[in-house]
Amino acid sequence: MHISTAFSVLSLLLASITLATQGDRLVLTPGGYRSKSKVYELPTGSSLAHTSDAVQSIDAGGSVIHVDGAGDAMELGRRDFLDGWIAFAWWLNPGLAPIASFTTIWEVPPLPETDHGQTVFLFNALQPNGSGILQPVLQYGPSGAGGGSFWAVATWHVDDAGNAFFTPLVPVSPGQILNAAITLTNTNGSTFDYNAQFTNVPGTSMNLTGAPQLTFAAETLEAYGVTALSDYPSGSTVFSGIDLTLAGGVTPSIAWSHQDDAADGVSISIDVDGATQGRMTITY
Ligand SMILES: *[C@@H]1O[C@H](CO)[C@@H](O)[C@H](O)[C@H]1NC(C)=O
Ligand SMILES: *[C@@H]1O[C@H](CO)[C@@H](O)[C@H](O)[C@H]1NC(C)=O
Ligand SMILES: *[C@@H]1O[C@H](CO)[C@@H](O)[C@H](O)[C@H]1NC(C)=O
């Protein structure tokens, strides 16, 4: 992880220099750096629709208001999608019924003691076996959605073609409890509709229709620009209430895999394994 992370960060820097000279500034998303022109805030009431070659946002009246083509992918490559994942746990559905619901509860941490312009993301997420990630995200620091020296939440959909959509960023306070939920809302043949949101933070709901099946579940600490351990919140973050159910109401028997950066002082432990009321602790 160490070597590959260092390598990836270097390649990201090189890619960002290349892109900057091409005139399209990079901004940070929970899926890594993206061209600013492809990072799009969803107006209230709109939703996201996957088509065969693009992701469109649709307004409340059903009109297409923004289309992101998948054709002009950035040069970052698929590996780079994982850049910045510092401590995380994951489960890949091995072909059981589709994941129907994935919830996680955590408390907004204290503000980091130091601010070096770093960005910290904490989230649970579902991904297809391919391009894309749907995630209700807590962030500290700047991203393409805005932000700064405070905690805030937004729901994001980011793909490997460089596109990112987010709901308007909502500031939150240390100590506030966040209830994140990603839910399968409909299935039609090989396409799937999902909703992701913080169920207790208004304005964070995102609908995604016509998506491929989301088969990879993750609990993640992702960070960029951290220069000292004090750039993280002190103490630990506990992801609890981790419930993962499959279509048909089935609770699978699962074991979470995990990876962290203990050498740099950040670790994740699986305190309660499995798909019911799971609990994990990220310690900084
Ligand atoms: C994921 O996709 C890769 C190639 O796109 C394929 O080889 C692999 O079998 C897929 N895995 C699952 C679990 O579908
Ligand atoms: C299901 O998909 C088919 C073909 O893609 C489409 O014609 C049909 O309208 C869809 N049904 C629903 C309920 O969305
Ligand atoms: C998402 O879909 C649900 C169910 O169709 C709907 O109630 C809701 O208004 C939609 N929009 C958002 C932003 O959640």
Side-chain angles (χ1 to χ4, degrees), residues 105-108 173 175-179 200-201:
I105 299 169
W106 71 99
E107 183 179 320
V108 179
S173 306
Q176 190 171 335
I177 302 297
L178 300 174
N179 294 335
N200 57 352
V201 183

Coordinates of all heavy atoms in Angstrom, one line a residue, residues 105-108 173 175-179 200-201:
I105 N -23.5 4.3 10.7 CA -23.7 5.5 11.6 C -22.3 5.9 12.1 O -21.5 5.1 12.5 CB -24.6 5.1 12.8 CG1 -25.9 4.6 12.3 CG2 -24.7 6.2 13.8 CD1 -26.8 4.0 13.3
W106 N -22.0 7.2 12.1 CA -20.8 7.7 12.8 C -21.0 9.1 13.3 O -22.0 9.8 12.9 CB -19.5 7.5 12.0 CG -19.3 8.4 10.8 CD1 -18.6 9.5 10.7 CD2 -19.9 8.2 9.4 NE1 -18.6 10.0 9.4 CE2 -19.4 9.2 8.6 CE3 -20.7 7.2 8.8 CZ2 -19.7 9.3 7.2 CZ3 -21.0 7.3 7.5 CH2 -20.5 8.4 6.7
E107 N -20.1 9.5 14.2 CA -20.2 10.8 14.8 C -19.2 11.8 14.1 O -18.0 11.3 13.8 CB -19.9 10.7 16.3 CG -20.0 12.0 17.0 CD -19.7 11.7 18.5 OE1 -20.1 10.7 19.1 OE2 -19.0 12.6 19.1
V108 N -19.6 13.0 13.8 CA -18.7 14.0 13.2 C -17.5 14.2 14.2 O -17.8 14.5 15.4 CB -19.4 15.3 12.9 CG1 -18.4 16.3 12.3 CG2 -20.5 15.1 12.0
S173 N -21.6 19.7 12.5 CA -20.8 20.1 13.6 C -20.2 18.8 14.3 O -20.8 17.8 14.3 CB -21.7 20.8 14.7 OG -22.3 21.9 14.1
G175 N -19.5 16.1 16.9 CA -20.5 15.5 17.8 C -21.8 15.1 17.2 O -22.6 14.3 17.7
Q176 N -22.1 15.7 16.0 CA -23.3 15.4 15.3 C -23.3 13.9 14.8 O -22.3 13.5 14.3 CB -23.5 16.4 14.1 CG -24.9 16.3 13.5 CD -25.0 17.5 12.5 OE1 -24.4 18.5 12.6 NE2 -25.9 17.3 11.5
I177 N -24.4 13.2 14.9 CA -24.5 11.8 14.5 C -25.0 11.8 13.0 O -25.9 12.5 12.7 CB -25.5 11.0 15.4 CG1 -25.1 11.1 16.8 CG2 -25.6 9.6 14.9 CD1 -23.7 10.5 17.1
L178 N -24.3 11.0 12.2 CA -24.6 10.9 10.8 C -25.2 9.5 10.5 O -24.5 8.5 10.9 CB -23.4 11.1 9.9 CG -22.8 12.5 10.1 CD1 -21.5 12.6 9.2 CD2 -23.7 13.6 9.6
N179 N -26.3 9.4 9.9 CA -26.9 8.1 9.5 C -26.8 8.0 8.0 O -27.6 8.6 7.3 CB -28.3 8.0 9.9 CG -28.5 8.0 11.4 OD1 -27.6 7.6 12.2 ND2 -29.7 8.4 11.9
N200 N -30.6 11.6 8.1 CA -30.9 12.7 9.1 C -30.3 14.0 8.7 O -30.2 14.9 9.5 CB -30.5 12.2 10.5 CG -29.0 11.9 10.5 OD1 -28.3 11.8 9.5 ND2 -28.5 11.7 11.7
V201 N -29.9 14.2 7.4 CA -29.4 15.5 7.0 C -30.2 15.9 5.7 O -29.9 15.3 4.6 CB -27.9 15.5 6.7 CG1 -27.5 16.9 6.3 CG2 -27.1 15.1 7.9

